[in-house]
Every structure is written in C-alpha cells, then in structure tokens.
Amino acid sequence: MIEIRDVSKTYGSTVVVDGVSLTLPKGGLTAIIGPNGAGKSTLLSMVARLLPMDSGQVMVDGLDVARTPGDALARRLAFLRQDNHMVARLTVRDLVTFGRYPYSRGRPTREDQGHVERALGYLGLSDLSERYLDELSGGQRQRAFVAMVLCQDTDYMLFDEPLNNLDIRHAVGMMKLLKGAAKDFAKTVVVVLHDINFASCYADHIVVMRDGKLFLQGTPDDIVRPEILSSIYATDFAVHDLDGHRIATYFT
Amino acid sequence: MRLTLALIALLCLGITSLFFGVSDISPLALLSGEADEKAVLVLLASRLPRTLALVLAGSGLAVCGTLMQMLARNRFVEPSTAGTVESASLGMLIALIISPNMPVMGKMAFAAGFALLGTALFLAILRRIPLRSVVMVPLVGLMLGGVIYSVAAFIAYRLNLMQSLAAFESGDFSSVLRGRYEILWLSLVMTIAAYVAADRFTLAGLGEEFATNLGLNYHRIMMLGLIIVSMVTACVVVTAGVIPFLGLIVPNVISMIMGDSLRRTLPWTAILGAGLVLACDIIGRIVVWPFEVPVGAVLGVLGSAFFLFLLFRRQSRAA
C-alpha cells in the first residue's frame, strides 16, 4: 500500500502539487489522469523519492520514502520517467542488467541473468540485446527501459507516460504487459496516462488530478462519464459502451 | 585475450621509451652485462622513471576523462575543459608562494584541494544552466578555466612567478627523474579505486534519477568521482604539468568502439591512455632530435584536431 499524506511541492510561487492525500491499494493497475500541468508526474516523482517534497509524507508498505535507505527502497519500488536522456552508450543487455543492481551490486549472479533473459524475452528484445540504445528506435528504447524496470522485480512499479513513442501495436502490448504483471505477479502498477481510453480499458482504479490537487478517484465506471470527463478536461465528451468497455470520444 | 594483446603492445611501447633517447643505451649490452655504469644510471634514474610516469599519468588521466564525462553527462568534458587543471595549477602556485620548499606531498595536497573546489564549482554551474546544450558545457568549462588561469596569472605576474606557472601549464616529462615522480603511484591507487566503483559511475552517467531509482546515493558517487579526478589531476600537474585533451580523446574512442559499460571498458581506457601518452612522448623526442617537444604540445595538436572531428561528427549526425 502506498500512502500519500498531505504532500505539496512548490516551484517559486507556483504550487505544482497542493496538499494531496491519497492511498493506492496494493495490487492492481492504477491510472493517474488529468490535464497538462496537473502535477501527475511531479507527484509520482515524489513518491519515488526522486524529487524532495516540500511538505507531507509518503509511506510505501509502512516505509517512509524520505528516510528509508535507497537500496532497500530500490528493491520495493521502481520508477520509469518519460524521457531518459543519457550520455552513456550502453547495450540493451547492459541496461536491463542494471535493473538487477539493487540485488547484485553490479556482479550479476546466474539468477540475475535469468531475470534479464526473461525480461528481454517478455518485451521482444532478445534479438536486439547486443545493440546500443542509441541505435534503436524510440519505441524499442522505451521497451528496453521497461524491461529494466521489470528486471528490478519490485512490488511497486511506477511509470510516467510509458506509452510515449510507442505505436498502436506496442502501446496495446505495453498496457497488456503492465496489466498482466499486476494480475499474474500481484504487482502494484501505477501509470500516468494521457489516453483516457487506455485508462478506461485497463485500469482497476483511476485517480484524477487537476491543478495540483486530487480531483476524483474511483473505478473506470465511476470516472469515465461524459459530465465528469468534461469537468476534468474542459472539453465535450461522449461515452460509448463498446463490448463491455467504456470508450470516450472527444474529437468533434 | 584481446586485453593481453593490448598489454603486450603497451609493453613494447614502454620498452621503446626506455631505450630511446639522446644517451645511447643498448638493450643487448645491458643484458650481457657489458653496459657501463653511466648507461645503467641513465636507465634507472631517468628513463625508467620517465616511462613509468608516462604510463601512470596517461592511464590516470584517461580514466579521469571518462569519470568526468559520466558525472557531467557530456562527452566533451575532461580535466582541461572543466577548470580542473587550471585550479590545480593555481593551488600549486599558492603552495609555492606560501612555502617555496614545500615537500611534494604538500604541493600535491594544495593542487588536489584546489582542483576539487574548481571542479565542484564547474558541476555546480552546470546544474544552474537551464539549457544544457551539448557544446555549451565544455564552453562553460573552458571559460571557467580561463577565469581561474587569469587569477593565477595575475598573482604570478605580481610575484614574478610567471616562469613557474608556465612550467605547470605545459606537460613535459623530460625532467622526470627518480625521486620526483613517485607521487604518481597515488594516481594509480585512485585509478584502481575508479575501477572498483566502475558500475556506480556508469549509473551516474545514466542520470541522477536513474541512479537514485536503482538505490544509489548519487551525491556520494559525485563526491567520490570528484575526489578521484582531482587527486589524479593534481598528481599529474605536480610531476609533469598539464597534458591536454588526453581525457577527451581516449574515452570518446573507447565509447565509440565498445560503449560505456565502465566495468568492461575502463581497463581499455587505461591501456589506451598510457599507450597514447607514451607514443606522443616518443614522437616529441623524435621530431626535433636531439631536442624535445613536450608531450603536452604533441597531444595539444592531436587533441584539437580530434575535438573538431567530434564536433563535426556530432553535427552531421544531428542533420
């Protein structure tokens, strides 16, 4: 369980995250949605202790993220940012193997190698494993990063817009994979998403943020409704029932 | 296996360096015990220390270049493009002013302390640049180096020490003798420390957030890297003076060929660095024979050309 207690973050005079209190249940896939600048990514960065919070507290399974030693937390919680600019030239395998760093401290055991192979296979990267990251397409690189996070094998996995750079096939594949991880391996997956229909079809729980505050939360059935979506995004929505999924349209 | 071959090649360069010079020493005569005392003295007191110093300085600086590129997350950074060597020179100058007969350890401590502060300042400035364009970073470093150097030059000019300052600034191994290079073994210790922590530096090169996510204390790595870089730079500046561009050429060549997983690449970086400095020193001894061109000058020429090559290569890639 992730407990977020009254967390705030301010840049200069701009309040980015404003007193958010939220409990994310263990297990399942939680999607965080909301308009640009709602503070979604900032909140997630603070949960993953990559950004210090100005006030408040985040507990992961009862551990205060601000005080728990980094390596202990790295075996419990993993976070993938949306853009990962790096100067080091690594092969896909090098990168994915670093996912085992919290366990092996850079000296991977046979068990670690097994994790690496499985993660590479899972994301269809086995054939690309010796290629350098800077030789890959944006989508392939994104999958390599996700493979690294899977390799980290943590109970909690946080992703900031993991569908960026992915084409339709790989975006659907990624969501299925995250959903599968949540269902089959009892992982807790938290994803910032822009596409509400992906949230509607795959999430067990949707958290809506607006203007730095927690706006609403609930199941897709609670959230994906025309009047609620219109109030979140200030745009007209229609919601259709298609094969048991609620699909929102907003294009016209 | 390939590493063994590289080591043998390095050994050959080292032997060439031992037996090449104005004073003629024949390896055959030495082995058969017919060499005169003078030849043995030259070998042990001058050639051997010089060769060892070249190897230690070359490998140390090349590894430092790699570490700095990981820490600054920029391919163009090395001790001479980040204000590190200018700070070390300033430290040496201050040591010289405080006590002209300070033992070499003392000078080294001053140089290392200043190098640490200068490099930390450089990294702190980088954090405050909003747009970290690739070329901006070394420019900032060169400017910072220029400012620090001008402070040193001002002090030196006032106190009639310009000649000493010029001596620190040009890397030259011709004056390396037994008893005047041993501090470089400290640089070897630091280079080995860099290898021990190699994985952490690779992770630092992936960025603060990446490293933190994997449970690493980023600031501790940063500090360790700074200490290693400033100690090695100070050792080299104290014994031989500035060797520019070495930390730029070697890490970039290695990265192009075999990537940046430092656990795998650092031994190669060290060997290539040592080999390049040895080769440049031998070239420096040949071109104006029987006189010498300092190794810093030879590398300066090679390095500037390589720097331009890197810039053009990057541009053609971006286009």
Side-chain angles (χ1 to χ4, degrees):
Chain A
M1 189 169 62
I2 299 178
E3 292 168 87
I4 300 167
R5 294 178 190 157
D6 202 21
V7 165
S8 295
K9 180 77 190 176
T10 313
Y11 289 115
S13 60
T14 323
V15 182
V16 188
V17 173
D18 190 359
V20 171
S21 293
L22 177 67
T23 303
L24 299 172
K26 189 156 186 160
L29 192 150
T30 302
I32 303 181
I33 63 169
N36 289 340
K40 309 175 293 277
S41 304
T42 311
L43 182 68
L44 219 52
S45 300
M46 288 192 287
V47 171
R49 50 97 168 75
L50 301 188
L51 196 66
M53 46 201 129
D54 293 339
S55 64
Q57 194 182 32
V58 174
M59 310 285 278
V60 175
D61 279 349
L63 297 173
D64 183 342
V65 297
R67 295 203 187 136
T68 309
D71 53 340
L73 213 52
R75 291 192 287 266
R76 234 168 243 273
L77 176 139
F79 179 42
L80 182 64
R81 298 261 306 177
Q82 46 182 317
D83 38 42
N84 293 287
H85 159 81
M86 49 181 57
V87 65
R89 272 186 93 218
L90 295 181
T91 62
V92 173
R93 183 182 299 277
D94 289 337
L95 180 80
V96 176
T97 308
F98 271 125
R100 297 307 295 169
Y101 189 84
Y103 305 88
S104 62
R105 305 248 128 232
R107 288 186 174 63
T109 61
R110 183 162 295 173
E111 191 201 331
D112 293 321
Q113 297 297 352
H115 278 277
V116 172
E117 293 307 329
R118 269 197 301 282
L120 287 171
Y122 225 68
L123 281 138
L125 291 166
S126 300
D127 294 339
L128 298 173
S129 65
E130 302 307 323
R131 295 268 291 274
Y132 287 102
L133 290 170
D134 56 1
E135 301 164 355
L136 300 180
S137 72
Q140 291 168 331
R141 205 175 309 148
Q142 179 73 351
R143 282 189 283 145
F145 286 123
V146 173
M148 190 202 88
V149 170
L150 284 190
C151 228
Q152 208 176 327
D153 194 26
T154 52
D155 286 344
Y156 297 89
M157 297 192 282
L158 319 181
F159 297 89
D160 190 0
E161 297 185 31
L163 307 185
N164 266 8
N165 296 322
L166 296 184
D167 58 17
I168 290 173
R169 174 183 156 218
H170 286 115
V172 172
M174 181 69 68
M175 285 313 292
K176 283 194 172 141
L177 183 124
L178 297 182
K179 181 81 178 174
K183 226 167 143 184
D184 305 338
F185 303 105
K187 306 279 186 192
T188 309
V189 180
V190 183
V191 194
V192 171
L193 286 179
H194 264 301
D195 188 331
I196 36 174
N197 289 325
F198 271 125
S200 172
C201 294
Y202 288 93
D204 300 303
H205 188 74
I206 296 181
V207 172
V208 184
M209 286 188 70
R210 217 183 72 174
D211 300 328
K213 294 198 170 87
L214 175 66
F215 186 64
L216 271 176
Q217 55 174 322
T219 62
D221 285 352
D222 300 333
I223 304 291
V224 186
R225 290 166 181 279
E227 67 280 6
I228 291 179
L229 292 178
S230 301
S231 68
I232 300 169
Y233 291 100
T235 306
D236 288 332
F237 278 84
V239 173
H240 313 274
D241 238 315
L242 290 176
D243 302 332
H245 291 297
R246 299 171 82 87
I247 302 297
T249 53
Y250 45 88
F251 302 104
T252 48
Chain B
M1 179 58 211
R2 283 192 297 166
L3 211 57
T4 322
L5 285 179
L7 273 173
I8 292 170
L10 182 65
L11 201 67
C12 292
L13 269 175
I15 290 169
T16 313
S17 164
L18 280 182
F19 294 105
F20 190 87
V22 174
S23 170
D24 201 18
I25 308 172
S26 149
L28 280 177
L30 212 63
L31 283 178
S32 60
E34 286 168 16
D36 54 12
E37 258 174 59
K38 190 175 144 253
V40 175
L41 184 72
V42 169
L43 187 73
L44 291 184
S46 162
R47 296 281 174 78
L48 186 65
R50 178 176 190 158
T51 304
L52 284 174
L54 285 163
V55 168
L56 294 174
S59 52
L61 282 178
V63 168
C64 272
T66 308
L67 294 197
M68 289 188 76
Q69 285 163 23
M70 291 295 132
L71 295 181
R73 300 179 68 201
N74 185 291
R75 278 277 158 220
F76 296 102
V77 171
E78 66 122 12
S80 69
T81 61
T84 312
V85 292
E86 288 82 1
S87 309
S89 307
L90 178 63
M92 288 265 287
L93 191 72
I94 304 278
L96 197 66
I97 293 166
I98 293 175
S99 152
N101 298 319
M102 192 180 285
V104 70
M105 260 329 253
K107 281 193 225 161
M108 151 77 202
F110 266 88
F114 273 74
L116 186 77
L117 290 177
T119 318
L121 180 63
F122 170 68
L123 291 174
I125 294 173
L126 282 195
R127 288 190 153 231
R128 281 178 179 68
I129 299 179
L131 266 177
R132 284 184 57 175
S133 118
V134 177
V135 189
M136 214 25 196
V137 172
L139 274 183
V140 168
L142 289 170
M143 283 190 304
L144 179 68
V147 171
I148 295 170
Y149 178 75
S150 60
V151 172
F154 177 76
I155 299 173
Y157 186 73
R158 281 301 174 98
L159 298 173
N160 257 329
L161 290 168
M162 279 310 270
Q163 221 168 8
S164 308
L165 188 63
F168 312 149
E169 288 290 319
S170 83
D172 184 3
F173 285 80
S174 59
S175 59
V176 169
L177 292 172
R178 188 167 53 197
R180 288 180 59 182
Y181 83 101
E182 283 74 3
I183 193 125
L184 275 172
W185 291 109
L186 191 61
S187 135
L188 180 68
V189 173
M190 288 292 131
T191 311
I192 292 169
Y195 180 70
V196 171
D199 286 309
R200 286 173 224 191
F201 289 116
T202 313
L203 282 176
L206 300 180
E208 175 169 3
E209 288 169 338
F210 231 88
T212 312
N213 174 52
L214 289 171
L216 224 66
N217 186 329
Y218 185 74
H219 294 281
R220 210 175 287 164
I221 305 289
M222 206 76 167
M223 208 52 225
L224 178 67
L226 276 177
I227 290 172
I228 292 175
V229 166
S230 32
M231 294 274 270
V232 172
T233 308
C235 289
V236 175
V237 171
V238 167
T239 38
V242 179
I243 307 174
F245 292 117
L246 183 68
L248 186 77
I249 301 175
V250 177
N252 274 292
V253 168
I254 294 287
S255 165
M256 276 181 227
I257 299 173
M258 55 197 311
D260 285 311
S261 183
L262 299 190
R263 167 88 44 220
R264 196 169 61 229
T265 60
L266 274 189
W268 287 94
T269 309
I271 290 176
L272 186 61
L276 187 62
V277 175
L278 272 175
C280 285
D281 189 66
I282 293 170
I283 292 172
R285 285 187 246 171
I286 293 173
V287 280
V288 290
W289 207 82
F291 305 103
E292 285 196 20
V293 179
V295 65
V298 179
L299 255 168
V301 173
L302 279 179
S304 328
F306 187 76
F307 196 76
L308 285 174
F309 163 72
L310 272 185
L311 277 174
F312 285 129
R313 183 172 157 275
R314 198 156 289 251
Q315 265 168 9
S316 65
R317 250 191 183 182

